[in-house]
């Protein structure tokens, strides 16, 4: 509060005007889109926008009757959860090695893992499509799971590595003199001590996986493997155009859990998003 | 041996999903692919692509849309972050600033498609404040169409930079700030002379990460503009997608992928490596 008082009344007013305006820019489109979810179709795509619509539950009925929304939800949850599990199983040992061992090529291996994050999905889209086609995994949730895991593996590894670097070495040394093996140390000391990092990594990976669009679009060529993210883009009904009210509802079904997860890890968010580069 | 066993599975997994596709793309780029028929073309695809105006246009569009969008979101994020990082009142509802980032990108694209085009809301609002006199067709002009993509990207991803900048600002030494303030330093001089230099490495990391994601922009183009008008909003990712999965020129799309991969490797080796090295220290 000290800084608030010192920056003076005039500044304070300007400051709050800017902050509140930007907050409105952030939140008003979301609230407006929420109202779209409860409007009848006829009041959405219109020559003149209707600001005070009649409310309706059309979109709910539509979702349940015309689209297998439960299937999309199941696909999303299965693919995302599976990919996060794969990531953690692969990343925790890798992060442990990168954070705690001296070995030849450590820097290069670490950077190689990081650099896979820089690859544009479109670059590998064509080959990945053929790869999954050849092994018969097109249109399958398993393929999505493998892809999401690959997309996020670099960031999960780097986040966990960053948290492991912060754990004081003395803890391990003490255990080691008591005769604990390396794997015991990983299991009994490192993992519990960097649990916030592991959770942060898992949450961020889950968000990116839920959002993934391009690969899902290519691999899920029929609605059998659609996730929420891609199912949205197919909510169009021929001459009726885009079915916005259904899109709005589905997007809020995904938004709610993400919001809750992010509130839980809010303190770790800036560190997680920079893969450990910022110790926020 | 032990550390290699620990790191091995992750590396093998990533190699399978990056090296194999990379090699496959290089191989396929040497053929003209017509469904199951592959006929050898040597460097033919590459010769065609460097003369393809659409390819260069896509590269230029990616740079223009990405550059403007990145500049804008960095400025906004920095301003908002600097104005609120030690404000305990704002901290209570700071999550509001993050919300756009938590929305599925495909849904965000639809929010703006509806606001700009299908629902005419933005036109209507601009008309009511007298900025325009009749309905704007946002897809009719090159710059207006690009603007809609920029707005969608800035709206969704400013929070990403914001939360990183806030984290960095909160980490800075409060006493230095306090001392400068007692010496009569103004708020803007504190920003330019203390906060900004201190944050430089973090800004580099954050802007690099965001810059990489912007250059891969696909979802918004696919949903909002599909490259219209006349290819003015076609990004590199959309170009590859269109060549491969709309026109089924897989060899050609692979050649474009290889070129883009080459650019990525150069960028990763120079900018990113340096950014993360300095970010660590």
């Amino acid at each position: 509060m000290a800084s608030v008082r010192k920056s003076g009344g005039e500044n304070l007013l300007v400051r709050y005007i800017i902050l509140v305006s930007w907050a409105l820019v952030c939140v008003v489109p979301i609230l407006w889109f929420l109202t779209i979810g409860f409007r009848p179709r006829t009041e959405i795509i219109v020559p003149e926008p209707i600001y005070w619509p009649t409310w309706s539950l059309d979109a709910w009925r539509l979702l349940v009757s015309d689209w297998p929304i439960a299937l999309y939800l199941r696909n999303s949850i299965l693919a995302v959860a599976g990919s996060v599990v794969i990531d953690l199983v692969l990343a925790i040992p890798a992060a442990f090695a990168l954070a705690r061992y001296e070995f030849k090529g450590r820097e290069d291996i670490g950077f190689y893992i990081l650099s896979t994050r820089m690859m544009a999905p479109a670059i590998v889209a064509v080959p990945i499509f053929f790869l999954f086609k050849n092994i018969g995994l097109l249109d399958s949730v398993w393929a999505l799971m493998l892809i999401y895991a690959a997309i996020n593996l670099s960031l999960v590894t780097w986040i966990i590595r960053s948290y492991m670097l912060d754990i004081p070495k003395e803890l391990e040394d003490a255990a080691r003199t008591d005769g604990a093996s390396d794997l015991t140390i990983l299991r009994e000391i490192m993992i519990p001590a960097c649990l916030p990092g592991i959770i942060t990594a898992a949450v961020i990976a889950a968000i990116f996986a839920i959002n993934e669009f391009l690969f899902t679009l290519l691999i899920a060529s029929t609605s059998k493997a659609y996730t929420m993210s891609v199912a949205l883009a197919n909510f169009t009904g021929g001459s009726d155009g885009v079915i916005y009210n259904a899109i709005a509802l589905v997007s809020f079904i995904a938004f709610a859990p993400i919001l809750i997860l992010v509130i839980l890890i809010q303190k770790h968010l800036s560190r997680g998003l920079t893969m450990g580069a910022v110790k926020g | 041996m032990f550390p290699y066993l620990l790191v091995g599975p992750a590396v093998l997994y990533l190699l399978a999903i990056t090296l194999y596709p990379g090699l496959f793309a290089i191989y396929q780029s040497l053929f003209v692919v017509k469904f199951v028929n592959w006929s050898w073309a040597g460097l033919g695809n590459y010769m065609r692509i460097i003369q393809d105006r659409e390819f260069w246009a896509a590269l230029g569009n990616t740079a223009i849309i990405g550059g403007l969008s990145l500049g804008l979101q960095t400025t906004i994020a920095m301003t908002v972050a600097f104005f609120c990082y030690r404000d305990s009142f704002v901290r209570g509802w700071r999550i509001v600033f993050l919300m756009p980032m938590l929305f599925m990108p495909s849904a965000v694209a639809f929010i703006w498609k509806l606001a700009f085009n299908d629902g005419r809301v933005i036109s209507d609002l601009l008309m009511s404040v007298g900025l325009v006199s009749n309905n704007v067709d946002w897809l009719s002009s090159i710059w207006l169409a690009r603007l809609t993509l920029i707005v969608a990207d800035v709206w969704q991803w400013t929070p990403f930079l914001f939360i990183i900048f806030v984290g960095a600002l909160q980490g800075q030494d409060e006493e230095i700030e306090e001392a400068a303030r007692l010496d009569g330093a103004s708020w803007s001089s504190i920003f330019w002379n203390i906060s900004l230099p201190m944050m430089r490495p973090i800004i580099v990391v954050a802007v690099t990460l965001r810059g990489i994601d912007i250059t891969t922009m696909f979802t918004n183009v696919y949903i909002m503009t599909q490259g219209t008008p006349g290819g003015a909003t076609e990004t590199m990712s959309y170009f590859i997608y269109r060549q491969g999965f709309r026109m089924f020129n897989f060899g050609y799309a692979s050649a474009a992928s290889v070129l883009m991969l080459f650019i990525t490797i150069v960028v990763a080796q120079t900018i990113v490596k340096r950014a993360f090295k300095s970010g660590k220290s």
Side-chain angles (χ1 to χ4, degrees):
Chain A
M1 279 311 279
S3 59
V4 173
R5 237 177 287 121
K6 282 198 188 80
S7 50
E10 215 177 317
N11 281 342
L12 194 68
L13 186 66
V14 174
R15 222 159 55 122
Y16 278 130
I17 289 173
I18 292 173
L19 290 175
V20 169
S21 326
W22 185 252
L24 289 175
V25 170
C26 290
V27 80
V28 167
I30 293 176
L31 293 177
W32 169 70
F33 205 53
L34 186 60
T35 72
I36 295 289
F38 296 95
R39 294 181 189 203
R41 287 263 289 286
T42 47
E43 294 189 12
I44 297 170
I45 303 179
V46 283
E48 294 285 325
I50 297 166
Y51 293 102
W52 302 109
T54 42
W55 301 106
S56 103
L57 291 173
D58 280 4
W60 278 112
R61 281 192 285 272
L62 205 65
L63 274 184
V64 178
S65 67
D66 288 15
W67 281 287
I69 186 67
L71 176 71
Y72 302 152
L73 199 61
R74 190 205 72 134
N75 287 347
S76 274
I77 292 171
L78 198 62
V80 170
S83 77
V84 172
V85 171
I86 295 173
D87 278 336
L88 292 179
V89 168
L90 294 172
I92 290 174
F96 184 45
L98 293 172
R100 279 296 190 262
Y101 292 89
E102 292 291 339
F103 54 97
K104 203 162 160 266
R106 186 180 70 169
E107 294 292 305
D108 289 331
I109 290 173
F111 183 70
Y112 168 70
I113 292 175
L114 176 70
S115 71
T116 58
R117 170 81 176 74
M118 314 302 163
M119 192 122 142
I123 296 176
V124 285
V126 177
I128 294 274
F129 174 80
F130 278 92
L131 174 67
F132 283 118
K133 195 176 160 207
N134 291 338
I135 55 179
L137 272 182
L138 279 189
D139 247 357
S140 126
V141 178
W142 304 104
L144 296 178
M145 193 185 289
L146 294 173
I147 281 288
Y148 297 166
I151 292 171
N152 289 318
L153 185 53
S154 58
L155 93 127
V156 174
T157 308
W158 271 65
I159 294 170
I160 295 174
R161 169 188 165 277
S162 148
Y163 280 82
M164 282 183 171
L165 286 173
D166 281 1
I167 301 169
K169 279 226 172 67
E170 289 74 37
L171 277 175
E172 290 162 72
D173 294 339
R176 216 174 289 263
T177 42
D178 289 347
S181 74
D182 290 29
L183 280 179
T184 314
I185 287 170
L186 175 62
R187 208 176 47 234
E188 306 284 328
I189 296 175
M190 300 300 275
I191 291 179
C194 72
L195 206 57
I198 293 175
I199 292 169
T200 304
V203 168
I204 292 177
I207 293 175
F208 283 134
I210 292 171
N211 290 346
E212 208 291 320
F213 189 78
L214 176 57
F215 285 121
T216 315
L217 183 70
L218 300 180
I219 290 169
S221 54
T222 68
S223 63
K224 211 179 84 195
Y226 277 175
T227 61
M228 312 253 280
S229 172
V230 162
L232 278 189
N234 289 285
F235 283 175
T236 53
S239 59
D240 299 329
V242 180
I243 302 166
Y244 282 102
N245 51 5
I247 291 173
L249 283 184
V250 173
S251 68
F252 278 94
I253 293 172
F255 178 68
I258 292 178
L259 183 66
I260 293 165
L261 287 174
V262 166
I263 290 173
L264 291 177
I265 64 149
Q266 211 182 347
K267 266 194 232 147
H268 298 268
L269 202 56
S270 63
R271 185 168 182 182
L273 290 174
T274 54
M275 306 201 253
V278 177
K279 307 255 162 82
Chain B
M1 241 355 253
F2 186 63
Y4 293 107
L5 288 177
L6 290 173
V7 85
V11 170
L12 287 178
Y13 193 85
L14 287 170
L15 282 175
I17 222 102
T18 58
L19 192 68
Y20 168 79
L23 293 174
F24 182 93
I26 292 173
Y27 179 68
Q28 194 180 41
S29 73
L30 303 174
F31 292 84
V32 170
V33 180
K34 285 264 182 277
F35 299 99
V36 288
N37 289 325
W38 292 40
S39 50
W40 175 256
L43 292 176
N45 283 325
Y46 291 96
M47 302 303 280
R48 265 176 59 214
I49 220 166
I50 56 171
Q51 291 167 20
D52 186 345
R53 283 183 38 213
E54 288 179 357
F55 172 77
W56 293 108
L59 207 61
N61 292 333
T62 308
I64 292 168
I65 296 168
L68 289 174
S69 182
L70 187 60
L72 211 55
Q73 53 196 264
T74 307
T75 313
I76 298 171
M78 187 57 88
T79 311
V80 177
F82 188 70
F83 283 166
C84 77
Y85 71 103
R86 284 250 161 78
D87 193 317
S88 48
F89 168 65
V90 178
R91 192 173 297 195
W93 47 272
R94 210 164 61 186
I95 188 79
V96 167
F97 291 127
L98 301 184
M99 282 184 179
M101 182 173 74
L102 310 181
F103 235 75
M104 273 192 297
S106 50
V108 170
F110 278 113
I111 291 182
W112 293 104
K113 185 185 169 80
L114 181 61
F116 278 111
N117 302 319
D118 292 347
R120 303 191 186 283
V121 179
I122 309 263
S123 286
D124 194 63
L125 292 177
L126 290 176
M127 268 153 72
S128 68
V129 296
L131 278 172
V132 295
S133 54
N134 41 27
N135 251 321
V136 183
D137 182 358
W138 298 91
L139 291 181
S140 68
S141 117
I142 292 173
W143 284 102
L144 290 180
R146 285 175 181 161
L147 182 70
T148 63
L149 290 180
I150 293 172
V151 167
D153 196 75
V154 168
W155 185 76
Q156 175 151 44
W157 294 111
T158 299
F160 176 92
L161 294 171
F162 165 78
I163 190 68
I164 293 170
F165 293 161
V166 162
L169 283 164
Q170 279 171 351
Q172 90 181 339
D173 193 344
E174 220 169 330
E175 286 175 15
I176 300 176
E177 265 176 273
E178 212 44 41
R181 207 168 273 130
L182 290 176
D183 285 346
S186 73
W187 233 49
S188 60
S189 90
I190 289 177
F191 174 74
W192 290 107
N193 299 318
I194 299 176
S195 302
L196 202 59
M198 185 258 349
M199 286 173 72
R200 233 186 67 117
I202 289 160
I203 297 173
V204 172
V205 171
V207 171
T208 306
L209 286 173
R210 193 75 271 286
I212 287 160
D213 282 351
I214 284 185
T215 55
T216 68
M217 184 187 289
F218 175 80
T219 311
N220 289 353
V221 182
Y222 177 85
I223 290 172
M224 291 171 67
T225 70
Q226 310 238 320
T228 54
T233 57
E234 179 162 275
T235 56
M236 279 304 299
S237 293
Y238 195 79
F239 176 82
I240 293 172
Y241 168 79
R242 187 170 59 87
Q243 289 295 340
F245 297 95
R246 284 281 162 85
M247 299 163 72
F248 303 106
N249 295 327
F250 282 111
Y252 199 63
S254 280
S257 304
V258 172
L259 291 177
M260 199 173 166
L261 179 63
F262 179 73
I263 299 171
T264 310
I265 290 172
V266 172
V267 171
Q269 285 295 332
T270 52
I271 303 174
V272 178
K273 208 166 193 171
R274 210 169 303 158
F276 270 84
K277 282 239 168 73
S278 65
K280 258 190 287 173
S281 59

